[in-house]
Amino acid sequence: MEDGEKREWGAKAWTYLSSVRSQSPLIQCITNFVSMDLTANTLLSAGASPAMLHSPNESPDFTPQVNALYINVGTLSDNWLPAMELAAQLASKLNKPWVLDPVAAGASCFRLKACLDLISLKPTVIRGNASEIIALARASFASTKGVDSSHDSTDAVEAAKSLANSSGAVVAVSGAVDFVTDGNRIVGARNGVPMMQKITATGCAVTALIAAFVAIDPSHAVEATASALAVFGVAGELGMETARGPASLRTHLIDSLHGLDQTAVISGVKITAI
């Protein structure tokens, strides 16, 4: 990575984070039971304002007020799906950015169809692991290991480009390297530590952070998405310096995200064009 490119991306990432802190965008989160706590605390520690609101009776009044919508299908049910679809319809109609986390998209036909139906409502960003993105790009049910990926992120780059082109969304694939593409450009973010994978809902939490960053600048969703992934990874790296395992890393991750300063972001972010 050239120093100039590193500094440029670091400066962009810092601008997004500092803007989230100053503007405190309101993010409506329709997310799974497992991730609600970490998702809300991640948004709060970054400076955003989370609203864990999922009733279809409230979305017509509430969704028009938000700066971005985040939908996560982790604990998907028949009761929640209509609420997700309604909120996504409203966000799209009102030109508000919304972000989809298609958890375990290929694990069942019901889940795959739900994700594809949501994608038809034009998310701004789709963020998933490699197996999820491959399943969506192929629109095919595939045996998976629950919510875990059975592929490396590098295996899903072409699938991500295909999905971006077919959906109109920016697509992010998480892994050892996080890839972000609009179907044409590809950038890679190389921050984070392996121990983060031992904490449930870190993927869900970083997708919520993407929503907060995209809320600041929806017209540059590639930059916002890559910056959110890198900033979250930097916080994990700093948290790991004093963590003794997954439980303490969870705490230190949130603390580090809250305390990130300009020097840490600009010097720590590792984003490059591919």
Side-chain angles (χ1 to χ4, degrees), residues 20 45 157 209:
V20 168
S45 64
V157 172
L209 188 63

Side-chain angles (χ1 to χ4, degrees), residues 11-251:
K12 286 179 183 178
W14 173 248
T15 297
Y16 281 113
L17 179 59
S18 57
S19 296
V20 168
R21 288 171 172 173
S22 63
Q23 298 179 30
S24 190
L26 177 61
I27 312 300
Q28 181 182 357
C29 303
I30 305 179
T31 189
N32 67 76
F33 297 119
V34 179
S35 75
M36 285 184 182
D37 176 84
L38 185 57
T39 293
N41 280 302
T42 294
L43 288 171
L44 284 169
S45 64
S49 177
M52 320 307 283
L53 185 149
H54 58 264
S55 171
N57 295 321
E58 292 185 284
S59 281
D61 295 326
F62 191 82
T63 304
Q65 304 176 47
V66 306
N67 298 110
L69 168 70
Y70 165 47
I71 294 177
N72 178 300
V73 302
T75 49
L76 187 63
S77 71
D78 290 323
N79 294 330
W80 278 43
L81 184 55
M84 295 174 177
E85 292 175 338
L86 175 59
Q89 288 168 356
L90 288 166
S92 293
K93 180 181 179 181
L94 297 168
N95 293 317
K96 292 181 180 290
W98 76 274
V99 179
L100 175 65
D101 193 325
V103 179
S108 72
C109 292
F110 167 67
R111 187 171 289 267
L112 177 63
K113 183 180 184 303
C115 290
L116 293 174
D117 288 347
L118 285 166
I119 289 171
S120 73
L121 299 174
K122 299 298 180 182
T124 311
V125 180
I126 303 166
R127 198 290 314 168
N129 64 35
S131 293
E132 292 160 354
I133 298 305
I134 290 170
L136 292 174
R138 295 176 179 172
S140 63
F141 165 71
S143 178
T144 63
K145 188 180 178 182
V147 301
D148 296 327
S149 181
S150 54
H151 300 84
D152 294 328
S153 57
T154 51
D155 299 332
V157 172
E158 290 304 314
K161 289 174 63 178
S162 175
L163 181 60
N165 284 319
S166 64
S167 67
V170 166
V171 177
V173 189
S174 291
V177 178
D178 300 321
F179 294 102
V180 182
T181 182
D182 59 4
N184 182 24
R185 301 168 57 202
I186 306 173
V187 298
R190 293 172 170 81
N191 291 102
V193 293
M195 185 71 73
M196 294 170 75
Q197 298 175 24
K198 300 297 184 182
I199 307 169
T200 189
T202 49
C204 307
V206 77
T207 312
L209 188 63
I210 289 170
F213 278 38
V214 171
I216 298 300
D217 188 9
S219 64
H220 294 91
V222 169
E223 289 82 356
T225 300
S227 294
L229 289 162
V231 164
F232 193 74
V234 170
E237 291 166 4
L238 293 174
M240 194 66 218
E241 292 177 0
T242 51
R244 294 181 294 174
S248 56
L249 177 57
R250 186 184 192 277
T251 298

